[in-house]
Amino acid sequence: MQADIDQVLIDRQAIARRVDELARQIVADLEPDLSRGEADLTLVPILTGSIIFVADLIRHMPLRMRISVMSITSYPGKATSSRGASVEAALTRLPESLAGHHVLLIDDILDSGNTLRLARQIVTERQPDSFRTCVLLRKKRDAAMATPCDYVAFDIPDQFVVGYGLDFDDLYRNLPEICTLRQEVAAGATENGRC
Ligand code: 5GP
Ligand code: MG
């Protein structure tokens, strides 16, 4: 697995520091909403890429919370560019109504913005008391920078990355760092006609 890595963009210490810092900021912002009334906090992680980020983030968030996952796919298999976002309905566990919930939506990376837009639509249709969005990474490209997002852990160059939950063909999610893949590894997909 390590042999397929080109560069480490963000190492594990930098991730840990920033996740802790971001969690504190989110908690400080949410606390006034939560103390105001009866509404609960519901986290909506987008599967599968956000799992490691969410696992680390919530352990720095000492708040009463529910977790309701949602599955949205846009980079199927060996694709390294978006194929348009679509929801796997069977894996949407959101309650019919989100009235009485403050929602924090969490994704791994903001790229074209399609995933966040679709997720925003699905959640806001259910009328939560408040709605915030958080991503681990945002690519420095116009479409991503123009997509509203409340919390961004890191802005990165417009490159395809893996690790810390992010995959290529469902591999590399368990890398503790955020990395780029060697050209030959990512290019292999094109030769197979799968990219
Ligand atoms: P968007 O819908 O904003 O184009 O892309 C968001 C989704 O595409 C992410 O949740 C992620 O699954 C996938 N994605 C976008 N860029 C990358 C990337 O650089 N690496 C990986 N592994 N997935 C990406
Ligand atoms: Mg994803």
Side-chain angles (χ1 to χ4, degrees):
M1 190 164 70
Q2 293 296 339
D4 295 346
I5 300 311
D6 175 33
Q7 239 189 304
V8 173
L9 281 189
I10 310 172
D11 68 25
R12 59 175 94 190
Q13 288 84 4
I15 296 171
R17 263 198 312 273
R18 181 67 183 130
V19 168
D20 181 15
E21 184 182 64
L22 194 64
R24 285 169 202 273
Q25 188 190 341
I26 294 171
V27 169
D29 292 352
L30 282 171
E31 262 170 347
D33 277 359
L34 293 171
S35 64
R36 208 176 299 128
E38 293 297 299
D40 285 333
L41 172 60
T42 297
L43 258 61
V44 181
I46 299 184
L47 297 176
T48 306
S50 72
I51 55 171
I52 296 181
F53 177 41
V54 169
D56 284 347
L57 191 74
I58 60 177
R59 282 178 288 176
H60 293 284
M61 293 175 61
L63 301 172
R64 186 182 136 96
M65 64 173 71
R66 293 197 167 82
I67 299 179
S68 190
V69 300
M70 179 151 74
S71 185
I72 297 184
T73 306
S74 51
Y75 276 42
K78 294 182 179 177
T80 55
S81 62
S82 179
R83 296 287 182 269
S86 63
V87 182
E88 292 170 32
L91 270 172
T92 302
R93 303 216 193 285
L94 285 178
E96 288 288 297
S97 166
L98 286 166
H101 295 256
H102 295 291
V103 172
L104 176 65
L105 190 108
I106 304 181
D107 201 7
D108 51 0
I109 186 163
L110 175 50
D111 183 11
S112 70
N114 289 334
T115 303
L116 223 54
R117 255 190 301 282
L118 181 60
R120 177 185 295 274
Q121 185 194 326
I122 292 165
V123 171
T124 52
E125 270 170 4
R126 291 167 159 83
Q127 303 192 311
D129 287 25
S130 72
F131 177 66
R132 293 175 172 85
T133 49
C134 173
V135 295
L136 170 70
L137 305 171
R138 175 172 62 186
K139 289 192 185 171
K140 286 185 198 152
R141 55 175 287 204
D142 292 347
M145 304 305 283
T147 304
C149 184
D150 298 292
Y151 304 102
V152 177
F154 298 99
D155 281 313
I156 61 164
D158 187 7
Q159 285 176 296
F160 187 79
V161 293
V162 296
Y164 197 68
L166 291 111
D167 75 305
F168 173 64
D169 198 21
D170 260 331
L171 297 170
Y172 309 106
R173 294 193 197 275
N174 56 322
L175 287 170
E177 301 98 1
I178 293 157
C179 308
T180 54
L181 283 177
R182 282 176 41 235
Q183 200 91 49
E184 312 86 271
V185 179
T190 316
E191 283 155 24
N192 293 338
R194 296 273 307 273
C195 184

